[in-house]
Structures are given as structure tokens and as C-alpha cells.
Amino acid sequence: MAWYTLKGYCNTFRIIFHIRFLSTMSNLNSPQVIATAVAAAFGVIGAVGLFVYHKIREQQQTEQVKRDLNNLSETMAMLQAQLDNLRMQQHNQRRNRERTLRRRQINKNGSTYTATDNDTDVDAFSTADTDFDDEEFFDFSDMESGDGDNEGKSGATNELDRQLLETDELIEGGTASSIESALSKLHILFVKYPDNLEVVWRLARACHKCSTNTTERSKKQKFIAEGIEACQVFEDSDNADFHKWYAILIGAQSMFLPIREKIDSGHRFRMHLDKALDLRPDDPALHHLLGRFKYEVASLSWLERKIASTLFAEPPSATFDEAIIDFERAEKLTDRPFKDNKLLLGKSYIAVGQYQNAVRWLEETSTVPTSNEEDRFSQIEADQLLSKYSKYRSK
């Protein structure tokens, strides 16, 4: 815009100079000649001015369109957030209404409601809503194996058990589409049996697995938040699978949290992990999670340790040697090895300076099939570390 204006001014000065030159040097001193020159000058000036005006106008219109598009984008984002909030509120209200009706029916009939033998009385738990921040201290989103080692599965004694077994088979299929199909079925079952722990922990597992099959941050957050929201009212239950998958989701959510919330989530994670281990001490996935917790704590920077000691009376503490014990325990217990346990064993041995042991475990990562995006990233990291420490390979 400034370039066109400057050029117009230069042309105007050039024309005025020629008029003065003509009026001074002309032998005729003719008013007609001067008048003609002035008319020509102003004609050119008018054309230049009109050209500049149109350019300025076009620039203003372009800027206005950009502003309008930015405003529209912000408005759409705000409306989407409000819509998501309304959907969550509607979901919670529907669940509360169903529970109220069920309790009224119980009081009317003088009997106790049970969906299955493992159902849990909702009156013992809080139903308060919880908000989730969008912003890993303990990132367990790639912990995929060990699902079938010790998890309890109901026999197909009724329709609910049959449908739960179907979702188990879909999850074990391992493909993104089969896991999404399992999640869809569990959504339906959760609406019908909102207080059934066998439904809830499977829903939590499906949400976690869907989160590991996407690289989009917003989708990961959505799946994780959904699973956590379903688990919150059962925190005091005595179901190992429930505490296992609740702990995994808490760890996965911590990747979106600032340092204080991450440390706090670490305490919550450890609480549910310990409950699961008390109920099922031979689950290899639980020992992997405990090892990973200790590895992450041992990896804290000096600044993070200072923050933790300032914010909490008893900040978490652990060593890489302690993490190695849990990772190797997981290796001994599982009949379905998983890539990330071997990677973290390698990294832990690097941290304590035992490079030959580290290389041995890093080499073993390639023997485990890659089943999802997290496995792919783990293998890439293992290959990079092998390249760096290749001189320690056994000859």
C-alpha cells in the first residue's frame, strides 16, 4: 500500500516540475499551453490517485476478511468446547437419573439390585463430577501387554457375560478397528449397566487402547478422560482389573498436566497400583507399571525434585536399581513379552552404567511384534540407543 502511494507522489512531483519548466522556458508564454499542461497533470494525478485508492481498498478488504475468519475460528472453537461440556453434563445427568430410579425401585421392592455377582452398590461412592485439564510425568500409554495373563473373565452364564466376552475377543484382536468396535459395544453396556465393575474396567481398558492408537493429542485426551470419568465412582472397590486400568489411565493423563498435578497424579497412580498388586501380585503388567513408576521418579531432574519436596511433605523417591528389579520380575512372570518393558530395562541399565546388559535388552525389543503406534516409537528409540551403545555388543 505504501509503495503505490509513494510512486504516485513521485509521478505528481515529476509532472509539476515539467509544468514549471514549460512555464519558465517557453518562448510563447501561452496561457493555453500552461492550461493544457496543468489539465494533463491533474488528469494523471487523478488516475494515479484512483489507482492508489483501489489498492488501499483491496488491502483493507483483505485484512477485514482475515479478521472475520479468525473471529469465526475462535467462535467455532468456543462453541465446540461448550457443546462438549453440555454432552458431558447430559451424560452425568442421565446416569444420576438412572441411579435414582434404581434406588427407588430397590426401596419399593425391598430387595437388592444386582446385575452380576460382581456388581457394586453405587451408594457407597461419590458421584461428584470432575473437570479435566487439557494440559507425563508417569506416561504408561504404551503399556499394552499382559492383558490376558491374569485378568478375570466371566463365563458366558448370561447375556451380559456373553457380550463382555465378545468385547474381550475384540480387544485381543489388537487392530484399531476391532478395539474401536469393542469400545462402541461397551458404551452401550455402560449405559445399561453403569454400576457394573466388569463393564467399567473393560471400558477403561478400551479407552486406554484407543488412546494409544492415535497420535492426535486431542483424541488421546478425549479417550483418557472418558475412561477416568467412568472409573471415579468406584475408587474404593476391590477389583484388581479396575485398579490396574484406572492406574494406567491416571498415568496416561499426566502427560497433559503441569508439574504439580503430575506429581499429585503420581501419588494417585501409586495408590491404585498398590491396590491392584495386593489383589493380584503375580500380574506382570502391574510389575511393569511399578517399575516404570520408579524409573520415572529416578529420572526426575534436580529442579523437579526441589519442586516436589516443596509441594509435598513426602515426595516420591526411587532408584534405577529398584526399577530394574520390577522390570525383570515382569519379564519372568509374563508369557507374552512386551516391547516397552525390554526398552525400559535397557534404559535403566544404561542409567546405572551396565551397558552390556543394556544392549542385550535393547536387542530383544526387535523380537516383539510392533502392534501399535506406541510400539513403533519404542522400537525407534531402542534402535537409536543400540546405535549409540553398539560397541558394548557381545562378541
Side-chain angles (χ1 to χ4, degrees):
M1 181 172 65
W3 180 81
Y4 290 115
T5 304
L6 179 62
K7 187 174 181 181
Y9 287 156
C10 290
N11 287 334
T12 301
F13 290 140
R14 189 179 295 113
I15 293 167
I16 292 174
F17 172 79
H18 283 299
I19 293 171
R20 290 179 176 175
F21 177 80
L22 287 171
S23 62
T24 303
M25 301 301 297
S26 175
N27 292 328
L28 295 176
N29 284 326
S30 170
Q32 290 85 358
V33 172
I34 296 174
T36 301
V38 169
F42 279 101
V44 173
I45 293 171
V48 171
L50 184 62
F51 177 75
V52 171
Y53 169 78
H54 283 298
K55 289 298 180 181
I56 293 173
R57 185 63 176 168
E58 289 177 5
Q59 184 70 19
Q60 290 175 338
Q61 290 174 343
T62 300
E63 292 174 354
Q64 183 62 44
V65 169
K66 290 180 179 179
R67 286 194 295 270
D68 291 342
L69 288 173
N70 289 335
N71 291 336
L72 179 60
S73 178
E74 292 175 0
T75 301
M76 290 178 67
M78 182 182 65
L79 290 174
Q80 182 63 49
Q82 292 175 350
L83 178 60
D84 291 341
N85 186 46
L86 287 172
R87 285 173 175 168
M88 182 67 73
Q89 291 177 5
Q90 184 183 42
H91 174 70
N92 290 332
Q93 289 171 357
R94 183 172 62 249
R95 289 181 62 192
N96 290 335
R97 283 197 301 270
E98 290 173 352
R99 289 174 179 143
T100 300
L101 290 172
R102 192 176 297 113
R103 285 194 293 269
R104 288 176 181 173
Q105 188 65 33
I106 292 171
N107 294 333
K108 180 179 178 181
N109 297 336
S111 60
T112 301
Y113 166 80
T114 54
T116 69
D117 292 338
N118 294 317
D119 212 20
T120 304
D121 187 359
V122 72
D123 292 336
F125 310 107
S126 168
T127 58
D129 295 339
T130 298
D131 295 332
F132 299 103
D133 291 328
D134 287 339
E135 301 255 1
E136 196 149 331
F137 179 53
F138 309 108
D139 172 13
F140 308 107
S141 59
D142 52 356
M143 205 295 298
E144 288 296 318
S145 297
D147 294 346
D149 291 339
N150 289 293
E151 288 175 2
K153 296 180 182 178
S154 304
T157 57
N158 57 36
E159 181 61 21
L160 174 59
D161 290 335
R162 185 188 66 78
Q163 293 182 69
L164 291 176
L165 286 173
E166 286 182 1
T167 64
D168 289 340
E169 292 169 358
L170 288 169
I171 291 291
E172 290 170 1
T175 65
S177 60
S178 68
I179 294 171
E180 289 174 3
S181 179
L183 182 59
S184 296
K185 290 179 179 293
L186 287 163
H187 282 154
I188 297 171
L189 292 176
F190 185 58
V191 172
K192 191 174 182 180
Y193 306 103
D195 305 323
N196 189 298
L197 269 177
E198 293 298 310
V199 174
V200 171
W201 76 255
R202 285 175 170 84
L203 178 64
R205 177 182 63 176
C207 287
H208 168 259
K209 288 184 175 292
C210 283
S211 75
T212 65
N213 284 330
T214 180
T215 57
E216 293 185 33
R217 181 185 177 90
S218 60
K219 287 186 177 180
K220 281 183 178 290
Q221 288 178 293
K222 174 181 174 295
F223 287 126
I224 293 168
E226 179 187 347
I228 289 178
E229 196 273 338
C231 290
Q232 285 178 328
V233 297
F234 301 100
E235 291 207 3
D236 296 328
S237 69
D238 291 326
N239 183 296
D241 293 315
F242 167 80
H243 289 291
K244 170 182 174 178
W245 289 103
Y246 194 16
I248 291 171
L249 287 170
I250 291 171
Q253 190 186 46
S254 67
M255 77 170 73
F256 308 111
L257 302 176
I259 182 64
R260 176 169 186 148
E261 284 79 1
K262 283 183 180 181
I263 296 172
D264 186 50
S265 72
H267 286 288
R268 292 175 60 219
F269 167 85
R270 183 62 187 268
M271 178 184 70
H272 289 287
L273 181 59
D274 287 344
K275 285 184 179 180
L277 278 167
D278 287 342
L279 294 164
R280 188 180 295 149
D282 293 329
D283 188 328
L286 295 176
H287 287 280
H288 166 82
L289 291 173
L290 183 57
R292 185 156 191 166
F293 173 87
K294 293 176 180 178
Y295 175 87
E296 297 288 350
V297 171
S299 300
L300 285 174
S301 67
W302 176 87
L303 177 59
E304 288 171 327
R305 292 179 190 277
K306 293 295 288 183
I307 294 173
S309 62
T310 302
L311 296 176
F312 299 93
E314 295 183 10
S317 62
T319 66
F320 291 111
D321 287 317
E322 292 173 340
I324 288 171
I325 292 172
D326 291 303
F327 290 138
E328 291 188 338
R329 175 71 171 161
E331 287 290 329
K332 290 177 181 178
L333 288 172
T334 189
D335 56 0
R336 296 166 56 182
F338 43 108
K339 194 182 293 289
D340 204 49
N341 196 69
K342 298 179 184 297
L343 169 63
L344 286 168
L345 263 170
K347 293 172 70 173
S348 296
Y349 273 117
I350 289 173
V352 298
Q354 297 186 34
Y355 302 119
Q356 286 187 335
N357 282 332
V359 167
R360 176 170 63 85
W361 285 109
L362 292 171
E363 287 177 333
E364 286 196 20
T365 60
S366 61
T367 65
V368 182
T370 297
S371 60
N372 55 50
E373 281 297 305
E374 302 296 342
D375 278 353
R376 186 172 68 84
F377 288 128
S378 292
Q379 188 60 58
I380 291 173
E381 185 178 3
D383 291 341
Q384 291 172 343
L385 290 172
L386 276 172
S387 176
K388 182 177 180 179
Y389 294 96
S390 59
K391 63 181 179 181
Y392 296 100
R393 279 192 169 103
S394 300
K395 296 181 180 178

